Amino acid sequence: MIKIEQLSKVFKTANQTVQAVDQMNLSINKGEIFGVIGYSGAGKSTFIRLINRLEEPSTGKVIIEDQEITRLNKKDLRLSRQEIGMIFQHFNLLWSRTVRENIAFPLEIAGVSKAERNARVSELIDLVGLTGKENAYPAQLSGGQKQRVGIARALANNPKVLLCDEATSALDPETTDSILALLVDINEKLGLTIILITHEMHVIQKICRNVAVMEDGRIVEQGSVLNVFSHPKQPVTKKFVEQVMGKPEDEETEELFIQHSNSGQVLKLQFIGETTHQAIISQVAKKFDVELNILQGSVKQTQAGAYGSLYLLAIGEPETINQALAFIRETSVEVEVIQHG
């Protein structure tokens, strides 16, 4: 559906040259919610603005459904942008216009008749849950309601792609969850391809199936959310995973592991997908003369399934513990022995 090939953006000033996006390559499937995560300055907002050419690429290609966006002239680009909706962190609403008038604005620009505009706007107001707020002005709305207006406006021209640039970072956690649920609902009902830019890993966790991690203008890691969460490779990815999973290697937990490792072996079990439902601990306890004590653990849900980790203290004869480890490894649960100095 969307192909990004060798995409770069260089900003030049009198004093310096900044490589905001550096040779990016990416493929996004039609109809999926794809996440791009990075810290401030990673280049993710520049990247998303390159997709619809709000920023002009220095080099590279953006291809959407076999149409090379980066080669279109101004007239064709204007038409193509009608199929690419965009929502912003700070809403970008017209403050002198009502909810209805804000949503209708892109339809006016597209030359849609008044009757068609009214019908489409009413449909969108119902879709995003703003019934009863049609005649309110942005100043009379909450942050979540403003973002719902922004989403409705972005959907006005029946786009194929929806770009979300930090769409929830200005919202409180409860409102964030409601907006994410709305995006999932829109994705399912309309079959939209959604590209979601964020610096918050829990946003990726909740609604994305695939994710790319950006740092210094480059994609440093990408894959399914389950795989990236369970096997983060890059330091920046590990930091993001810690946002939702916690950091088991902090001083307090490290001391706990060291303390208990004197009386047994500290094991780390990793569960992915259906394995989170396996009663592996009780199975091991029944089969082997090993005492298992839970030290720490967590399980999180993603759109593609659950994943989590569990730290155990295994007490028993070394040979028996090794047999138990071999049994666990025969399942789809991953296990490792945590060593401490």
Side-chain angles (χ1 to χ4, degrees):
M1 165 62 177
I2 300 175
K3 290 184 179 179
I4 309 297
E5 298 179 358
Q6 297 293 303
L7 191 65
S8 294
K9 178 63 180 181
V10 177
F11 292 101
K12 295 182 179 180
T13 66
N15 301 320
Q16 63 178 338
T17 298
V18 177
Q19 183 89 44
V21 175
D22 189 3
Q23 301 293 309
M24 280 187 65
N25 292 286
L26 197 62
S27 292
I28 299 170
N29 296 323
K30 184 175 183 178
E32 80 166 307
I33 303 178
F34 190 97
V36 178
I37 190 167
Y39 288 111
S40 179
K44 57 190 185 300
S45 289
T46 300
F47 161 64
I48 204 170
R49 292 169 65 87
L50 291 173
I51 294 176
N52 60 3
R53 282 177 57 187
L54 289 178
E55 292 286 355
E56 286 293 337
S58 299
T59 60
K61 298 179 181 179
V62 176
I63 303 168
I64 301 178
E65 288 195 338
D66 298 323
Q67 182 180 57
E68 190 176 331
I69 304 298
T70 37
R71 294 189 62 180
L72 298 178
N73 59 38
K74 290 184 178 180
K75 179 182 178 182
D76 291 337
L77 178 60
R78 281 196 298 271
L79 293 174
S80 181
R81 279 179 177 158
Q82 291 180 13
E83 297 185 336
I84 308 172
M86 189 166 186
I87 57 177
F88 305 87
Q89 177 180 358
H90 297 296
F91 320 126
N92 287 16
L93 302 181
L94 300 170
W95 294 88
S96 61
R97 286 181 172 237
T98 64
V99 167
R100 176 173 285 277
E101 290 167 343
N102 264 282
I103 298 170
F105 185 62
L107 296 171
E108 293 175 27
I109 294 175
V112 176
S113 69
K114 186 175 182 179
E116 288 182 81
R117 287 202 308 266
N118 287 338
R120 179 62 176 157
V121 169
S122 295
E123 178 184 335
L124 289 167
I125 285 173
D126 181 61
L127 177 66
V128 301
L130 285 174
T131 302
K133 296 290 183 179
E134 297 92 332
N135 299 315
Y137 288 89
Q140 300 170 304
L141 303 176
S142 67
Q145 289 169 336
K146 290 172 188 172
Q147 194 57 285
R148 287 172 185 269
V149 178
I151 292 170
R153 181 185 57 188
L155 297 176
N157 282 311
N158 290 299
K160 297 176 182 176
V161 177
L162 182 62
L163 308 178
C164 305
D165 188 6
E166 297 279 11
T168 61
S169 60
L171 306 175
D172 62 74
E174 185 177 349
T175 306
T176 292
D177 286 347
S178 70
I179 294 299
L180 294 178
L182 175 61
L183 290 175
V184 171
D185 185 54
I186 289 169
N187 169 257
E188 291 173 350
K189 287 180 177 176
L190 306 181
L192 274 178
T193 304
I194 299 178
I195 303 176
L196 192 149
I197 300 295
T198 184
H199 65 274
E200 299 169 304
M201 198 59 159
H202 71 273
V203 171
I204 300 293
Q205 171 201 344
K206 283 181 178 292
I207 70 170
C208 300
R209 286 190 173 270
N210 293 290
V211 62
V213 182
M214 284 192 70
E215 186 176 31
D216 296 329
R218 289 179 173 270
I219 294 176
V220 296
E221 195 163 349
Q222 63 178 299
S224 72
V225 171
L226 269 180
N227 187 56
V228 170
F229 268 52
S230 57
H231 299 93
K233 296 179 177 63
Q234 299 297 322
V236 65
T237 311
K238 292 176 182 178
K239 288 181 181 179
F240 280 123
V241 172
E242 287 166 9
Q243 288 182 4
V244 290
M245 291 298 289
K247 185 178 180 181
E249 293 79 17
D250 62 25
E251 290 183 7
E252 182 179 342
T253 307
E254 186 78 9
E255 289 177 6
L256 177 68
F257 290 171
I258 292 173
Q259 173 191 342
H260 285 291
S261 64
N262 294 327
S263 56
Q265 294 190 42
V266 178
L267 312 178
K268 178 184 179 182
L269 274 61
Q270 193 150 340
F271 305 83
I272 304 174
E274 291 302 315
T275 64
T276 55
H277 303 297
Q278 291 185 14
I280 194 72
I281 297 174
S282 62
Q283 291 176 28
V284 170
K286 290 175 182 178
K287 284 180 174 289
F288 304 96
D289 186 18
V290 175
E291 180 182 337
L292 296 175
N293 298 320
I294 296 174
L295 301 179
Q296 186 188 73
S298 62
V299 175
K300 300 291 182 181
Q301 293 292 330
T302 74
Q303 280 292 303
Y307 73 98
S309 59
L310 191 65
Y311 292 85
L312 304 173
L313 175 66
I315 301 172
E317 293 296 325
E319 184 179 347
T320 308
I321 293 177
N322 288 335
Q323 291 172 355
L325 289 173
F327 171 77
I328 294 172
R329 290 186 175 117
E330 288 176 358
T331 72
S332 50
V333 176
E334 298 180 18
V335 61
E336 64 175 302
V337 178
I338 306 297
Q339 301 291 342
H340 296 283

